[in-house]
């Protein structure tokens, strides 16, 4: 039997265990309250109630626990957060940037000057130490990436000009097209959990999963377990190439580009050479007004690539690989891992358009724990992500206090898996890959509840997929 996931709880809320069969693991989201209201994207602070009389049937997450829709508003979330948490400091933000770049420079100086054949004659030992260098630099550079992320959300300082300047520099150094990413990432925040509009780790529906395997939808529940080696290969590919593939082909983002308001999405689709990427101003991810920003992003990449080419020509490709390319791949790994685990968990719902609201989508995220590294090197991006989706302009150094405040409003709708700390975070990569293969409605639901989808899998974990009848043969 799978081990129950230990989560943070609000002490004032009761938590009822699931009555699901013993073959199902316990859930981080035990028994939320029924939702009398929600909030639309067009009016984030609206308190108008949404008629939920058409919600029928019991919605069940992957663990087998009942799910009910969030019943709070954005206004309640914002009002619960102390006013000083909204305050941004340019000096403090720049101080963190200086600290992170100084750390990168210090580590390079120490290794370059002391991890040498003269000081360490043993090649294996020296190689092992330089391997450690790539890991450490990868983590520190991920911290720089996250500070640029703060700039993109305008939580770095009160000055938009300073934010975008610092963000452009920090991301360009890491070969990230800052403004291109900023625009598409903003769309992710506006449509989190929306199966047709979200931009990050949109799960496959049962129909899409069946199509990928060349199967009929009703056959999915009869498939044998996916072998662990296939899961491992997929996970390794995701961690190595996921970020680059996302930038070049919008992989894991929605594929409904024909709805682009200026007609840029006609005939374009996700995938290599499909016309959807983060570098071309004519990509359907952008509008005509964004063209100069996309080109400015490309300019930043060109400058960094030219510097790297010069370094490689002068010091050799081998040195460039150890000094920059391997740490860069570690950055990509951490970025993908963090984002994947923020939005992929057996307790999380996803929504069809008719069931989605901004409040519901923002709650479909989860906080995790990565110990000292997460809180001090990665600036708390792992530990306070739920808050970030409700109020993305709060700086990271105020996010813990703000998170504590919104827990009281969210109650059992707040999700946080902190079991095992840093090791637990890494283990969650494998667990989510095995548990979360596609999404489908809970069995027996009708009306709006049928538009609330949960992860299912063919590996025997949690709630099994629905058994569907084969379509009748046509004469």
């Amino acid at each position: 039997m799978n081990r129950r996931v230990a989560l943070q709880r609000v002490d004032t809320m009761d938590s009822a265990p699931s009555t699901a069969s013993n073959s199902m693991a316990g859930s981080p989201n035990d028994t939320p309250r029924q939702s009398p209201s929600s909030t639309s994207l067009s009016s984030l602070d609206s308190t108008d109630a949404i008629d939920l009389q058409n919600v029928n049937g019991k919605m069940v997450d992957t663990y087998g626990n009942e799910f009910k829709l969030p019943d709070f508003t954005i206004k309640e979330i914002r009002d619960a957060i102390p006013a000083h948490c909204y305050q941004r400091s340019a000096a403090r933000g720049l101080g963190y940037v200086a600290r992170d770049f100084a750390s990168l420079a210090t580590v390079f100086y120490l290794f370059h000057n002391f991890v040498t054949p003269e000081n360490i004659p043993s090649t294996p030992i020296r190689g092992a130490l330089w391997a450690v260098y790539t890991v450490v630099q990868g983590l520190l550079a991920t911290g720089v990436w996250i500070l640029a992320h703060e700039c993109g959300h305008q939580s770095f300082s009160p000055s938009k000009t300073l934010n975008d300047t610092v963000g452009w520099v920090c991301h360009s150094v890491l070969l990230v097209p800052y403004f291109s990413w900023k625009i598409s990432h903003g769309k992710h925040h506006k449509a989190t959990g929306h199966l047709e509009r979200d931009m990050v780790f949109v799960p496959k529906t049962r129909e899409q999963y069946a199509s990928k395997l060349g199967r009929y939808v009703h056959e999915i529940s009869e498939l044998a377990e996916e072998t662990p080696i296939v899961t491992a290969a997929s996970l390794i590919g995701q961690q190595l190439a996921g970020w680059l593939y996302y930038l070049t082909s919008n992989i894991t983002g929605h594929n409904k580009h024909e709805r682009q308001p200026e007609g840029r999405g006609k005939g374009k689709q996700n995938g290599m050479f499909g016309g959807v990427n983060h570098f071309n101003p004519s990509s359907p991810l952008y509008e005509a007004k964004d063209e100069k920003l996309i080109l400015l992003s490309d300019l930043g990449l060109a400058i960094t690539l030219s510097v790297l080419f010069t370094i490689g020509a002068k010091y050799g490709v081998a040195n460039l690989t150890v000094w920059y390319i391997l740490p860069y791949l570690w950055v990509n790994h951490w970025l993908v891992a963090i984002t994947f685990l923020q939005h992929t968990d057996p307790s999380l719902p996803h929504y069809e358009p008719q069931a989605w609201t901004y409040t519901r989508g923002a709650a479909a995220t989860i906080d995790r724990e990565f110990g000292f590294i997460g809180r001090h090197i990665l600036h708390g991006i792992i530990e306070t992500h739920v808050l970030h989706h409700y109020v993305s302009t709060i700086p990271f150094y105020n996010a813990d206090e703000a998170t504590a405040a919104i827990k009281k409003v969210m109650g059992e709708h707040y999700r946080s898996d902190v079991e095992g700390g840093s090791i637990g975070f890494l283990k969650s990569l494998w667990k989510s890959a095995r548990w979360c293969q596609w999404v489908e409605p809970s069995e027996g639901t009708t009306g709006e509840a049928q538009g609330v989808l949960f992860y299912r899998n063919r590996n025997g974990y949690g709630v099994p997929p629905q058994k569907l009848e084969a379509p009748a043969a046509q004469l």
Side-chain angles (χ1 to χ4, degrees):
M1 184 175 71
N2 289 293
R3 198 157 42 87
R4 187 176 185 82
V5 177
L7 299 189
Q8 292 181 348
R9 281 294 181 190
V10 178
D11 294 338
T12 57
M13 300 298 295
D14 294 328
S15 177
S18 170
T19 57
S21 70
N22 289 336
S23 65
M24 302 173 189
S27 170
N29 180 35
D30 285 330
T31 310
R33 295 166 290 168
Q34 180 67 3
S35 171
S37 67
S38 192
T39 307
S40 68
L41 177 61
S42 60
S43 179
L44 300 186
D45 291 332
S46 171
T47 57
D48 296 335
I50 292 178
D51 182 8
L52 297 179
Q53 295 301 314
N54 63 333
V55 177
N56 297 305
K58 182 179 179 180
M59 294 175 285
V60 179
D61 69 16
T62 318
Y63 291 108
N65 287 338
E66 183 176 6
F67 174 85
K68 293 186 179 181
L69 296 167
D71 58 354
F72 50 86
T73 67
I74 296 296
K75 185 178 187 304
E76 290 174 321
I77 290 285
R78 288 183 173 274
D79 288 349
I81 299 171
H84 65 265
C85 289
Y86 292 93
Q87 299 302 312
R88 300 161 290 174
S89 168
R92 192 167 182 179
L94 289 170
Y96 279 106
V97 172
R99 185 203 73 173
D100 285 1
F101 274 108
S103 298
L104 285 164
T106 299
V107 171
F108 177 80
Y109 175 84
L110 292 174
F111 274 79
H112 182 65
N113 287 280
F114 297 103
V115 185
T116 63
E118 294 77 16
N119 295 317
I120 305 176
S122 172
T123 299
I125 294 176
R126 201 167 61 253
L129 288 173
W130 277 105
V132 171
Y133 164 90
T134 68
V135 175
V136 172
Q137 293 292 74
L139 285 167
L140 293 172
T142 303
V144 173
W145 201 108
I146 292 164
L147 292 176
H149 170 268
E150 292 272 301
C151 293
H153 283 290
Q154 306 303 310
S155 59
F156 184 80
S157 81
S159 169
K160 185 177 184 299
T161 300
L162 178 62
N163 293 339
D164 286 339
T165 300
V166 173
W168 180 78
V169 171
C170 290
H171 263 177
S172 295
V173 167
L174 298 171
L175 291 177
V176 178
Y178 171 72
F179 291 103
S180 308
W181 161 84
K182 174 184 172 181
I183 293 168
S184 67
H185 187 68
K187 293 179 180 179
H188 158 60
H189 272 258
K190 292 178 181 177
T192 306
H194 193 299
L195 284 170
E196 295 188 3
R197 289 176 45 219
D198 200 354
M199 297 293 296
V200 172
F201 283 108
V202 178
K204 291 180 176 62
T205 62
R206 180 169 176 151
E207 293 75 14
Q208 292 168 335
Y209 186 81
S211 177
K212 176 186 175 184
L213 298 180
R215 298 279 189 164
Y216 292 108
V217 173
H218 70 275
E219 294 178 326
I220 294 301
S221 60
E222 303 167 3
L223 292 178
E225 173 187 0
E226 179 180 87
T227 61
I229 194 170
V230 171
T231 305
S234 176
L235 193 58
I236 291 170
Q238 170 184 291
Q239 295 308 119
L240 283 176
W243 172 242
L244 292 175
Y245 201 16
Y246 172 72
L247 291 178
T248 56
S249 65
N250 198 46
I251 192 70
T252 82
H254 78 77
N255 202 19
K256 303 289 184 179
H257 304 295
E258 70 279 0
R259 300 178 183 178
Q260 207 274 349
E262 297 176 345
R264 291 170 167 235
K266 293 181 179 178
K268 296 181 180 179
Q269 59 184 358
N270 294 348
M272 296 302 292
F273 311 111
V276 186
N277 61 66
H278 284 73
F279 309 107
N280 191 339
S282 65
S283 170
L285 300 177
Y286 312 112
E287 300 175 17
K289 63 182 178 63
D290 301 322
E291 180 175 358
K292 292 181 179 178
L293 294 176
I294 308 308
L295 293 175
L296 183 57
S297 300
D298 294 343
L299 175 62
L301 301 184
I303 293 172
T304 299
L305 286 171
S306 65
V307 172
L308 293 174
F309 178 83
T310 301
I311 293 173
K314 183 174 181 179
Y315 298 101
V317 175
N319 281 328
L320 178 64
T321 299
V322 175
W323 293 345
Y324 183 91
I325 295 176
L326 292 179
Y328 167 78
L329 292 177
W330 276 112
V331 172
N332 292 358
H333 156 73
W334 290 119
L335 172 62
V336 173
I338 291 167
T339 309
F340 175 64
L341 291 179
Q342 286 168 338
H343 300 282
T344 310
D345 186 81
S347 69
L348 297 181
H350 284 76
Y351 297 93
E352 296 280 9
Q354 71 274 14
W356 181 89
T357 68
Y358 184 90
T359 305
R360 295 175 185 178
T365 57
I366 186 168
D367 288 342
R368 299 185 187 271
E369 177 64 46
F370 204 46
F372 177 87
I373 292 174
R375 293 189 175 274
H376 297 282
I377 297 178
L378 304 182
H379 306 297
I381 197 171
I382 294 170
E383 292 80 7
T384 59
H385 192 68
V386 175
L387 165 78
H388 177 67
H389 267 275
Y390 280 112
V391 192
S392 59
T393 54
I394 290 180
F396 71 88
Y397 42 81
N398 293 332
D400 279 321
E401 182 179 359
T403 294
I406 70 169
K407 285 182 186 179
K408 300 172 184 178
V409 176
M410 296 183 69
E412 291 182 300
H413 300 290
Y414 170 79
R415 295 174 180 80
S416 175
D417 183 353
V418 300
E419 183 181 19
S422 300
I423 300 302
F425 175 84
L426 296 174
K427 287 182 177 179
S428 293
L429 274 173
W430 179 255
K431 178 178 180 178
S432 291
R434 295 290 286 170
W435 282 64
C436 306
Q437 293 185 308
W438 72 85
V439 292
E440 62 179 58
S442 300
E443 188 168 6
T445 53
T446 60
E448 190 179 32
Q450 201 167 29
V452 184
L453 281 59
F454 294 91
Y455 286 107
R456 300 292 185 257
N457 63 80
R458 54 191 267 211
N459 299 323
Y461 297 115
V463 175
Q466 295 185 50
K467 293 185 179 298
L468 304 178
E469 295 184 4
Q474 295 183 351
L475 298 178

